[in-house]
Amino acid sequence: MNNINFRPVRKELYTRFGHRLEATVIDAILDEVIAEHAETARIPNFLPVLVHREAASRIEDHLWTHGTVGTPRKRILFASRTNSQRAVLAAAMARRLSDNSIVATVASTHPENRDDALIEWVMDERGLAADGAKYKTERRRTVAAADVVVYMDSEEPHDLPGRTFVQWEVPSTDGMNVEQVRVIADHIEARVAHLLATLDIATRPLGEVQAEELAA
């Protein structure tokens, strides 16, 4: 038990519930669950998953019993491993459209598939900073399984952990000019907005958000 690392579980709970609950409360609930499972665990390898599930359930109960309105932030993982910049664009749009009420991450990829100057240009035009620190790269972790995995390539292997899966057919930007990439960005924005609507997440048009930022 002493060798088990629960830091990924703790970090995941902060991500999901930190907008509604203080870290000290999350820590107290998680530590209580860890202590309880430590006494009865027979197969330690499964403990992080079991602890995460139980702690998340208790945190949700705590929120409801203390009159806090809201649910844990949903996780959407965007995968475009032949051109991850498309996934970065989609994640940026999801965060902006939802006013950061969801957690949007990008599937890991090889370094040679991370750059697309035209998509970065269009993101900059729309005030969507291509910041690798903001749009975290997600590796395969059961604890952090996404609520929705969005595959953006037609040949994308469906091998990422998630509760539900969506397949988008997003054209390759190879050989395109900036006007054509703007059209692709518009299509991605529409798809992201529709996905958020299916998850019952309120959205605002990117243009409206940008106008508010300029006014500020």
Side-chain angles (χ1 to χ4, degrees):
M1 179 71 182
N2 292 333
N3 296 326
I4 297 176
N5 180 13
F6 288 99
R7 281 185 296 180
V9 176
R10 198 176 302 274
K11 182 178 179 181
E12 167 68 4
L13 294 174
Y14 288 163
T15 300
R16 300 273 285 189
F17 297 99
H19 65 311
R20 298 293 184 191
L21 200 59
E22 292 183 359
T24 53
V25 178
I26 295 174
D27 286 338
I29 293 173
L30 174 59
D31 291 339
E32 180 181 43
V33 173
I34 291 173
E36 291 175 3
H37 279 272
E39 297 180 357
T40 59
R42 296 184 179 181
I43 306 177
N45 290 343
F46 296 130
L47 267 180
V49 174
L50 295 174
V51 165
H52 174 265
R53 185 182 303 158
E54 176 66 22
S57 177
R58 293 192 190 184
I59 290 172
E60 290 189 46
D61 289 344
H62 177 92
L63 287 170
W64 283 109
T65 57
H66 286 74
T68 302
V69 178
T71 57
R73 285 185 284 192
K74 294 185 181 296
R75 298 179 64 96
I76 304 176
L77 174 60
F78 294 93
S80 179
R81 285 172 284 190
T82 60
N83 181 342
S84 68
Q85 203 64 34
R86 291 183 297 183
V88 171
L89 170 62
M93 287 178 165
R95 291 168 62 91
R96 181 75 69 83
L97 286 167
S98 69
D99 198 20
N100 286 322
S101 63
I102 56 95
V103 179
T105 52
V106 176
S108 60
T109 187
H110 296 295
E112 65 269 20
N113 295 327
R114 292 178 184 170
D115 297 325
D116 188 319
L118 288 180
I119 289 182
E120 291 180 6
W121 180 280
V122 172
M123 289 183 67
D124 186 62
E125 286 182 332
R126 301 181 183 209
L128 299 167
D131 184 352
K134 179 178 283 188
Y135 311 112
K136 297 180 180 179
T137 296
E138 194 74 63
R139 292 178 172 80
R140 190 177 305 186
R141 295 207 321 266
T142 303
V143 165
D147 293 287
V148 181
V149 179
V150 179
Y151 293 103
M152 303 179 69
D153 293 331
S154 59
E155 302 299 325
E156 189 83 39
H158 291 199
D159 58 354
L160 297 167
R163 295 174 177 84
T164 59
F165 305 91
V166 176
Q167 176 70 59
W168 292 353
E169 301 298 333
V170 180
S172 170
T173 60
D174 292 346
M176 287 188 176
N177 58 38
V178 68
E179 289 295 338
Q180 292 170 314
V181 173
R182 289 182 181 123
V183 173
I184 295 298
D186 289 339
H187 287 316
I188 292 175
E189 179 182 345
R191 287 177 179 269
V192 169
H194 179 264
L195 174 62
L196 294 175
T198 63
L199 297 173
D200 293 325
I201 297 171
T203 63
R204 292 188 295 169
L206 285 181
E208 177 184 325
V209 179
Q210 290 173 359
E212 289 183 4
E213 290 179 347
L214 289 173

